[in-house]
Amino acid sequence: NKNEKIQLLRDAIVSYSDFPKPGIIFRDIFGIFRNIVAMRAMKDLIVEHILFLEVDLVVGLDSRGFLLGPIICMELGKPFLPIRKKGKLPGNVVQHAFTLEYGEATFEIQTEYVKKGARTIIIDDLLATGGSMAAAIELLKLSGAEVIECLTIIELSGLKGREKLGIPVHSFVQYD
Ligand code: PRP
Ligand code: ADE
């Protein structure tokens, strides 16, 4: 059942102190990818959650969101679009700068591939300060999408990222 699947995820995530900077506890999603049972549980949890949302488009964030989005797109029969760190995407892009828990970056999207009003879900491994997710929401709004939910596997609840987003957030494993 759902709680057992969430427990599998929690048990598979490995935490590393002082990475990549002193004071940061890094929650490593790749523990889930090393464990096929946990990886299947993760896919099932995401698909079961999204099925009833009537999503037109799944957007994944550079880089770990790229591991999650296409898996569920295959199940949903919906397209995947990446948001990448700047300078990586060809064609017409729009960009937005942001800060995150341990640095700063700029995101870009190929705006012409977003259909006006597309019901869009943004997926990533982890929500920390919400800086990355807020930038992604901004890019999708500029591109004409309707962002219906932000979905992450892990949420660092103590950083209160969800409060700055103004869009519903769903996560499966929370840390203070
Ligand atoms: C990490 C993580 C999220 C973001 C969350 O990515 O995968 O995308 O930080 O932090 P925030 O909520 O404070 O914005 P990172 O920028 O380290 O990039 P990577 O996936 O390329 O390693
Ligand atoms: N991205 C931002 N903060 C993070 C953390 N503590 N662990 C893993 N990824 C992160």
Side-chain angles (χ1 to χ4, degrees), residues 62-64 85 100-102 124-132:
D62 196 344
S63 63
R64 287 164 265 160
K85 304 260 172 81
L100 66 159
E101 195 187 13
Y102 42 65
D124 201 4
D125 64 325
L126 180 145
L127 183 74
T129 64
S132 307

Side-chain angles (χ1 to χ4, degrees), residues 62 84-86 95-108 131-132 135:
D62 196 344
R84 293 211 66 182
K85 304 260 172 81
K86 75 165 179 228
Q95 61 173 227
H96 201 265
F98 63 97
T99 60
L100 66 159
E101 195 187 13
Y102 42 65
E104 50 194 62
T106 297
F107 268 163
E108 292 180 345
S132 307

Side-chain angles (χ1 to χ4, degrees), residues 24-27 64 101-102 126 128 156:
I24 303 290
I25 304 175
F26 191 84
R27 312 289 185 176
R64 287 164 265 160
E101 195 187 13
Y102 42 65
L126 180 145
L156 306 185

Side-chain angles (χ1 to χ4, degrees), residues 56-70:
D56 300 316
L57 176 67
V58 176
V59 168
L61 304 191
D62 196 344
S63 63
R64 287 164 265 160
F66 297 170
L67 302 168
L68 301 168

Side-chain angles (χ1 to χ4, degrees), residues 2-170:
K2 186 176 171 191
N3 287 336
E4 287 166 349
K5 286 176 182 157
I6 290 171
Q7 190 60 44
L8 282 170
L9 303 193
R10 187 176 282 283
D11 292 345
I13 294 162
V14 183
S15 299
Y16 297 88
S17 294
D18 299 317
F19 182 87
K21 291 184 175 170
I24 303 290
I25 304 175
F26 191 84
R27 312 289 185 176
D28 188 10
I29 192 87
F30 285 111
I32 296 174
F33 288 86
R34 289 193 295 270
N35 176 334
I36 186 65
V37 177
M39 189 157 55
R40 286 211 175 96
M42 176 172 69
K43 187 211 68 174
D44 291 346
L45 283 166
I46 301 171
V47 171
E48 284 158 20
H49 175 75
I50 291 182
L51 263 180
F52 72 97
L53 291 180
E54 296 185 37
V55 166
D56 300 316
L57 176 67
V58 176
V59 168
L61 304 191
D62 196 344
S63 63
R64 287 164 265 160
F66 297 170
L67 302 168
L68 301 168
I71 299 174
I72 60 165
C73 286
M74 299 289 282
E75 298 263 331
L76 297 172
K78 299 297 176 186
F80 175 80
L81 194 66
I83 284 183
R84 293 211 66 182
K85 304 260 172 81
K86 75 165 179 228
K88 303 285 189 176
L89 288 172
N92 295 324
V93 298
V94 291
Q95 61 173 227
H96 201 265
F98 63 97
T99 60
L100 66 159
E101 195 187 13
Y102 42 65
E104 50 194 62
T106 297
F107 268 163
E108 292 180 345
I109 192 168
Q110 289 164 308
T111 189
E112 66 196 292
Y113 302 121
V114 180
K115 293 202 174 81
K116 299 302 162 217
R119 288 173 60 82
T120 301
I121 174 160
I122 309 174
I123 189 160
D124 201 4
D125 64 325
L126 180 145
L127 183 74
T129 64
S132 307
M133 200 55 91
I137 292 167
E138 186 62 29
L139 287 180
L140 281 158
K141 284 185 174 158
L142 285 170
S143 304
E146 181 193 352
V147 181
I148 57 174
E149 189 175 84
C150 303
L151 180 64
T152 65
I153 305 305
I154 303 170
E155 178 177 3
L156 306 185
S157 310
L159 293 175
K160 301 189 191 295
R162 66 165 64 221
E163 291 176 15
K164 80 160 62 138
L165 298 182
I167 302 267
V169 175
H170 191 80

